[in-house]
Amino acid sequence: MKKVWMILRRSLLVFLVMILLINLYIIAAQLLFKKDLPKVAGFAQILVISGSMQPAIMAGDLLIIQEQKEYEEQDIVTYRSNGGLITHRIIEIEKGQAIMQGDANNVADDPVPVESIEGEAFLRIPQAGNFILFLKTPMGILLLILALSAIYIFFELTDFLKSRRAIAEEQKSLK
């Protein structure tokens, strides 16, 4: 049981360090290099704010997109248009131009160059975007700090209690 506990603890630590490093890179890329869509190994995260792709993708979802060498019709992609990012389905590709349309929209978007496509939807995490937006609020930051502190205290308290038990058992065996 002790080995499993240590493996879980180390795995959680490695996972949290990886998330921290990726987020530090994303923040640095946004602030220092003025990238509005930083990518890590061809992957980027997108917060969905509209319902134009419902029911496939809902407002409040978090999308992980991945750069592709080629895109095909029916791929759900994120592309640049008028300084913003839009996630829609490709309905047609012709002569280096892609025509996209949101699943919930009645009209197709204006054609855009295929080069303006940032990536294809790789993973959808339902409602995670709403959670991330909440974490950016003062209450969300406070709750995150409290949760991380509680996890740290839990692990430290567990170690402390184990060491106290070991000391108590050692003292019993000496008597």
Side-chain angles (χ1 to χ4, degrees):
M1 185 67 177
K2 188 175 181 179
K3 237 180 186 180
V4 172
W5 185 250
M6 285 302 293
I7 291 171
L8 284 174
R9 204 171 154 181
R10 287 188 179 151
S11 298
L12 178 63
L13 179 64
V14 167
F15 178 72
L16 291 175
V17 166
M18 284 177 39
I19 288 176
L20 177 67
L21 291 174
I22 288 170
N23 281 308
L24 287 174
Y25 167 77
I26 289 171
I27 290 168
Q30 288 173 330
L31 296 176
L32 301 175
F33 307 118
K34 305 297 183 206
K35 289 186 176 182
D36 62 340
L37 187 63
K39 295 180 182 170
V40 177
F43 291 91
Q45 62 184 7
I46 305 290
L47 299 177
V48 179
I49 57 173
S50 81
S52 67
M53 282 301 295
Q54 289 181 349
I57 299 171
M58 308 295 279
D61 289 352
L62 174 71
L63 278 184
I64 306 298
I65 63 168
Q66 181 182 20
E67 290 178 336
Q68 302 290 327
K69 291 182 183 184
E70 293 183 12
Y71 298 95
E72 300 174 358
E73 292 179 7
Q74 298 305 312
D75 286 348
I76 297 174
V77 298
T78 298
Y79 67 97
R80 292 191 176 280
S81 177
N82 299 324
L85 295 168
I86 299 173
T87 300
H88 282 168
R89 188 180 306 276
I90 298 174
I91 58 173
E92 187 178 342
I93 298 177
E94 188 176 298
K95 299 176 185 169
Q97 298 280 316
I99 300 174
M100 268 67 93
Q101 182 174 343
D103 290 356
N105 293 352
N106 294 329
V107 182
D109 305 339
D110 292 332
V112 296
V114 174
E115 298 82 40
S116 64
I117 297 175
E118 291 289 340
E120 180 181 1
F122 174 77
L123 175 67
R124 174 184 157 257
I125 306 171
Q127 296 303 308
N130 285 337
F131 180 69
I132 290 170
L133 290 174
F134 170 72
L135 289 178
K136 291 181 177 182
T137 66
M139 180 61 79
I141 292 169
L142 177 65
L143 289 176
L144 180 63
I145 291 169
L146 290 174
L148 292 174
S149 299
I151 291 169
Y152 176 77
I153 290 169
F154 174 76
F155 283 129
E156 289 301 315
L157 187 59
T158 304
D159 285 347
F160 175 75
L161 293 175
K162 283 181 185 178
S163 67
R164 294 290 293 170
R165 267 191 230 127
I167 291 169
E169 287 176 16
E170 187 177 313
Q171 288 175 349
K172 279 184 184 179
S173 68
L174 291 176
K175 289 182 181 181

